[in-house]
């Protein structure tokens, strides 16, 4: 018989619920993952043992989490230098199972003073982004900058959004990916380009 993870066998669970949990943990190979994590802790034994085994275990599981994903995008009209309206995009992500993390924000550069106004108002850009672009990005891998940029460029081009809007969105997502990778923005972008 398959062994059940010892930490789920609560006495007050029904047999049906116990079976559901057995199947869940079997699907995600938690027993094997726990064993591998413990092996990491004892990898240098008998020469030495780490002073903080929890740090070793947490680092191990951090590398095996699902990649951070786009949870929510927000587009705002803000005022730049000289009170000129421009576009700002904020990125909220789910990372390591924790939702609601504001990880990236970018503001499109306002047009120079005296320049011809853009053919599409900021509010029109926001409407298109929120209705037709943002829904297509929800749940996507935030670290896959190359695929995200290809999708954004293609879709924003089809919708007639100005390049400043697509660049603003791309930069906000890239900043989010860099923040969650704990690396500088240029390092994140160059790493993803090299992996493409």
């Amino acid at each position: 018989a398959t062994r059940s993870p010892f930490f789920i066998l609560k006495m007050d669970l029904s047999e049906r619920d116990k079976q559901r949990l057995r199947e869940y943990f079997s699907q995600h190979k938690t027993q094997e993952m726990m064993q591998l994590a413990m092996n990491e802790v004892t990898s240098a034994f008998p020469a030495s043992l780490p002073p903080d085994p929890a740090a070793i275990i947490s680092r191990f599981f951090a590398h095996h989490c699902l990649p951070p994903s786009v949870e929510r995008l927000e587009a705002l009209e803000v005022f730049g230098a000289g009170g000129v309206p421009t576009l700002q995009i904020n990125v909220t992500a789910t990372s390591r199972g924790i939702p609601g993390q504001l990880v990236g924000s970018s503001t499109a550069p306002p047009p120079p003073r005296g320049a011809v106004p853009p053919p599409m108002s900021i509010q029109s850009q926001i409407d298109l982004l929120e209705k037709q672009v943002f829904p297509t990005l929800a749940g996507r891998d935030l670290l896959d900058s190359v695929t995200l940029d290809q999708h954004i460029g293609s879709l924003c081009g089809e919708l007639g959004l100005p390049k400043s809007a697509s660049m603003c969105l791309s930069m906000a997502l890239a900043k989010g990916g860099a923040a969650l990778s704990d690396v500088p923005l240029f390092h994140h972008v160059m790493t993803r380009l090299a992996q493409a």
Side-chain angles (χ1 to χ4, degrees):
T2 303
R3 291 181 59 192
S4 301
F6 66 90
F7 44 84
I8 67 166
L9 295 183
K10 298 180 179 179
M11 296 302 294
D12 56 346
L13 292 177
S14 68
E15 285 302 319
R16 180 182 178 184
D17 286 341
K18 287 181 182 180
Q19 182 58 33
R20 285 180 59 201
L21 287 174
R22 290 188 190 99
E23 292 171 357
Y24 172 80
F25 283 102
S26 176
Q27 176 188 351
H28 293 280
K29 301 182 178 179
T30 52
Q31 289 285 78
E32 294 89 335
M33 295 286 284
M34 289 296 293
Q35 185 61 57
L36 289 171
M38 297 306 293
N39 288 346
E40 287 286 312
V41 172
T42 59
S43 60
F45 185 78
S48 65
L49 286 171
D52 187 359
I56 306 295
I57 293 171
S58 63
R59 186 166 62 243
F60 173 84
F61 280 110
H63 286 296
H64 290 80
C65 291
L66 292 173
S69 59
V70 178
E71 180 184 339
R72 187 168 63 87
L73 292 154
E74 178 186 32
L76 304 168
E77 183 175 12
V78 297
F79 294 92
V84 179
T86 189
L87 176 70
Q88 177 176 306
I89 296 176
N90 301 324
V91 180
T92 302
T94 297
S95 178
R96 298 181 182 178
I98 304 174
Q101 301 181 56
L102 179 61
V103 293
S105 181
S106 181
T107 303
R113 185 182 295 274
V116 177
M120 185 181 295
S121 69
I122 300 298
Q123 189 55 55
S124 296
Q125 294 177 42
I126 291 173
D127 290 342
L128 274 177
L129 287 166
E130 291 184 340
K131 293 176 182 177
Q132 299 194 50
V133 179
F134 291 173
T136 70
L137 296 169
R140 287 185 177 243
D141 182 355
L142 189 54
L143 301 184
D144 190 358
S145 297
V146 174
T147 302
L148 288 173
D149 282 349
Q150 290 173 345
H151 175 75
I152 291 167
S154 174
L155 184 54
C156 288
E158 291 175 8
L159 296 172
L161 280 159
K163 289 188 179 299
S164 58
S166 60
M167 290 178 63
C168 181
L169 176 55
S170 174
M171 185 60 70
L173 291 167
K175 286 181 176 179
L180 291 174
S181 300
D182 197 25
V183 297
L185 177 60
F186 78 90
H187 184 280
H188 169 71
V189 173
M190 295 304 294
T191 299
R192 296 302 158 184
L193 285 173
Q195 294 174 349

